[in-house]
Amino acid sequence: MIHINWEERETIKRLKCVHADAKKFIVDNKLTPGKVYDVKNETDEFYFIIDNSERIAGFRKEYFEEVK
């Protein structure tokens, strides 16, 4: 039941959005290219971040690059 407290969890890392051009889904209203997001959880294909709506959402890794 990890999803219950994702918003309060410690940030794993920070990522910068590099694009919001999705082929199948609309993500440009939830992601802003150039903005840095906090990662709360990660799987093989997705990052779970707090998006522009201030809620947790999962996005494919192709939209981001790591901030150092």
Side-chain angles (χ1 to χ4, degrees):
M1 304 269 277
I2 192 173
H3 66 281
I4 293 175
N5 64 354
W6 265 350
E7 292 175 0
E8 293 83 31
R9 291 190 72 183
E10 182 178 319
T11 298
I12 298 172
K13 58 183 157 186
R14 295 177 51 92
L15 301 172
K16 183 171 102 175
C17 179
V18 292
H19 73 84
D21 302 323
K23 294 177 183 162
K24 290 186 176 182
F25 304 102
I26 299 172
V27 297
D28 61 347
N29 60 348
K30 300 292 182 185
L31 295 176
T32 303
K35 184 175 177 180
V36 176
Y37 296 93
D38 294 335
V39 177
K40 299 297 183 175
N41 195 23
E42 179 180 359
T43 65
D44 290 339
E45 292 184 55
F46 296 95
Y47 289 122
F48 292 88
I49 64 165
I50 297 180
D51 65 11
N52 293 348
S53 67
E54 299 298 321
R55 299 298 313 250
I56 290 286
F59 295 96
R60 296 184 72 83
K61 290 186 174 184
E62 67 189 61
Y63 300 117
F64 303 97
E65 68 181 18
E66 282 197 46
V67 175
K68 296 180 179 169

